[in-house]
Amino acid sequence: MSSSQTIKQKVFTCLTKLSDRDTHSLAASELVTIARSLDTTTVPVFLSCLYSTDASDKSPVRKQCVYLFGILSETHGNALSPYLSKIIANIIRRLRDTDTSVRSACVNSVSALACHVTKQPFLSFLKPLSEALFTEQEQNAQIGAALCLSSAIDGAPDPDSARLAKLLPKFQKLLKREVFKAKPALLTLIGSVIEAGGASGHVSLKNLVPCLVESLSNRDWAVRKAAAETLVVLANVERDFLSEFKSDCLKDFENRRFDKVKLVREVMIQMLESWKHIPDTSDEFSPPPKSQSSSKGSIKFWYLVCE
């Protein structure tokens, strides 16, 4: 029996054992061991086994197969470059999964892939994930696409801020569409674009700030919370270029600090404080504020559960 056949047999045996609670842990551990021991000839065989699973398989199988994409990237890095487009396509297909843990695994694996598979341009992530975001009609898929793209931006060493800047107006238009249901996740994505430098420049800010402020009055408290968190990110990243917006925004923010939802009130207060540190238009110099940590990392998975 060839090494490829041996690998295939081992993987399918483990995938079968994943469905059984008594053998799940051992099978999951063995699959990770196999993934880390692959060579250039057996990587595609292992990947083909992962691709073969679908919605008919049990949830632990679906989750583990997505998780293993991340393990492969951590171990083999740029050796996965030839297979990246197919891996991303497979992950996108799984974003409709009804199980939150599977969709969370998608977000984790995309982050790992962006961090470790760097030989391919960032467009390899940006194009398919943004297309999924703009075309998917199903809410889980929309959430997953937004959070996967956000994770890719956060994980990539060079997320191509110029391309992100061109996409930012499209994200803002999507945010204003009533039929788009994944607005909290989209706001998290916009926060990642801001952190990557995709919102720099007067024109970008002139359109972005009103869009985010408008979202603070959304009927959905999760949207209000996400908008406030994104405005915190904006204040920290683009602090020296927001002076002209400061006065009007602070007036609006003062009215928002009494939100009826406690979680939202807490973020609104943080937002208000972060914007107070923005220099006034008359200030020539102003010391930078202490960094206020963004809770964006944990937010991604919170939205997957709550939506």
Side-chain angles (χ1 to χ4, degrees), residues 121-123 126 156-165 196 198:
F122 186 69
L123 189 62
L126 186 58
D158 180 16
D160 197 343
S161 59
R163 286 188 184 274
L164 291 175

Side-chain angles (χ1 to χ4, degrees), residues 115-170:
C115 181
H116 299 289
V117 186
T118 57
K119 192 174 180 180
Q120 295 283 4
F122 186 69
L123 189 62
S124 300
F125 295 91
L126 186 58
K127 189 173 187 292
L129 289 169
S130 60
E131 285 180 354
L133 180 64
F134 293 133
T135 59
E136 283 286 357
Q137 302 299 313
E138 199 270 334
Q139 185 174 3
N140 287 334
Q142 291 176 348
I143 295 170
L147 297 185
C148 280
L149 184 49
S150 176
S151 285
I153 294 168
D154 294 345
D158 180 16
D160 197 343
S161 59
R163 286 188 184 274
L164 291 175
K166 291 180 180 179
L167 274 177
L168 185 57
K170 294 183 179 181

Side-chain angles (χ1 to χ4, degrees), residues 11 22 31 34 73 82-83 107 112 117 139 203 218 235 237 257 263 265 269 286:
V11 172
D22 294 333
L31 281 167
I34 294 171
S73 68
Y83 317 106
V107 176
V117 186
Q139 185 174 3
V203 174
N218 194 283
V237 175
R257 65 188 306 170
L263 285 173
R265 286 200 304 273
I269 292 169
S286 180

Side-chain angles (χ1 to χ4, degrees), residues 3-305:
S3 60
S4 295
Q5 290 174 320
T6 302
I7 290 290
K8 186 177 288 188
Q9 187 177 58
K10 284 183 178 179
V11 172
F12 280 127
T13 299
C14 288
L15 291 178
T16 301
K17 290 180 179 179
L18 282 176
S19 300
D20 189 321
R21 185 176 298 179
D22 294 333
T23 56
H24 176 272
S25 295
L26 188 63
S29 178
E30 187 174 351
L31 281 167
V32 170
T33 300
I34 294 171
R36 288 176 172 157
S37 64
L38 298 171
D39 57 30
T40 53
T41 62
T42 50
V43 163
V45 176
F46 188 84
L47 285 171
S48 69
C49 295
L50 302 187
Y51 298 152
S52 68
T53 59
D54 55 33
S56 65
D57 291 290
K58 290 187 177 180
S59 177
V61 178
R62 305 196 307 272
K63 176 185 175 182
Q64 189 69 13
C65 285
V66 177
Y67 168 74
L68 287 166
F69 291 134
I71 294 296
L72 284 170
S73 68
E74 292 169 5
T75 307
H76 301 284
N78 283 319
L80 292 184
S81 290
Y83 317 106
L84 183 60
S85 62
K86 192 166 183 180
I87 292 172
I88 296 296
N90 193 267
I91 289 174
I92 289 172
R93 181 169 61 83
R94 297 169 191 267
L95 293 179
R96 288 174 171 262
D97 201 291
T98 55
D99 191 312
T100 300
S101 67
V102 177
R103 303 197 305 273
S104 294
C106 290
V107 176
N108 278 326
S109 287
V110 168
S111 178
L113 287 160
C115 181
H116 299 289
V117 186
T118 57
K119 192 174 180 180
Q120 295 283 4
F122 186 69
L123 189 62
S124 300
F125 295 91
L126 186 58
K127 189 173 187 292
L129 289 169
S130 60
E131 285 180 354
L133 180 64
F134 293 133
T135 59
E136 283 286 357
Q137 302 299 313
E138 199 270 334
Q139 185 174 3
N140 287 334
Q142 291 176 348
I143 295 170
L147 297 185
C148 280
L149 184 49
S150 176
S151 285
I153 294 168
D154 294 345
D158 180 16
D160 197 343
S161 59
R163 286 188 184 274
L164 291 175
K166 291 180 180 179
L167 274 177
L168 185 57
K170 294 183 179 181
F171 294 152
Q172 291 168 220
K173 288 181 181 178
L174 197 60
L175 190 63
K176 293 181 179 182
R177 288 179 57 191
E178 287 295 327
V179 294
F180 186 78
K181 302 301 182 184
K183 291 182 180 181
L186 180 57
L187 283 159
T188 298
L189 169 58
I190 291 173
S192 292
V193 173
I194 293 168
E195 288 191 317
S200 297
H202 181 266
V203 174
S204 292
L205 294 173
K206 190 174 182 180
N207 294 321
L208 178 60
V209 172
C211 180
L212 295 178
V213 171
E214 183 181 347
S215 295
L216 292 175
S217 59
N218 194 283
R219 288 175 296 177
D220 184 344
W221 69 267
V223 176
R224 300 197 303 274
K225 181 174 181 288
E229 287 160 344
T230 306
L231 280 160
V232 171
V233 174
L234 186 64
N236 291 337
V237 175
E238 299 293 341
R239 173 180 179 272
D240 294 330
F241 304 96
L242 294 170
S243 297
E244 67 177 279
F245 308 102
K246 178 180 178 181
S247 177
D248 289 340
C249 284
L250 285 179
K251 291 175 185 176
D252 198 294
F253 297 167
E254 284 287 350
N255 297 328
R256 305 292 175 190
R257 65 188 306 170
F258 303 108
D259 196 283
K260 61 184 178 181
V261 179
K262 184 175 183 292
L263 285 173
V264 181
R265 286 200 304 273
E266 291 172 351
V267 183
M268 292 288 188
I269 292 169
Q270 184 186 4
M271 174 189 68
L272 183 61
E273 290 304 312
S274 67
W275 275 72
K276 285 179 179 178
H277 288 293
I278 292 170
D280 293 323
T281 51
S282 57
D283 293 345
E284 290 186 6
F285 302 99
S286 180
K290 292 181 180 179
S291 175
Q292 298 185 32
S293 61
S294 168
S295 55
K296 180 155 59 76
S298 60
I299 293 165
K300 291 178 184 175
F301 307 106
W302 183 83
Y303 287 142
L304 283 168
V305 175

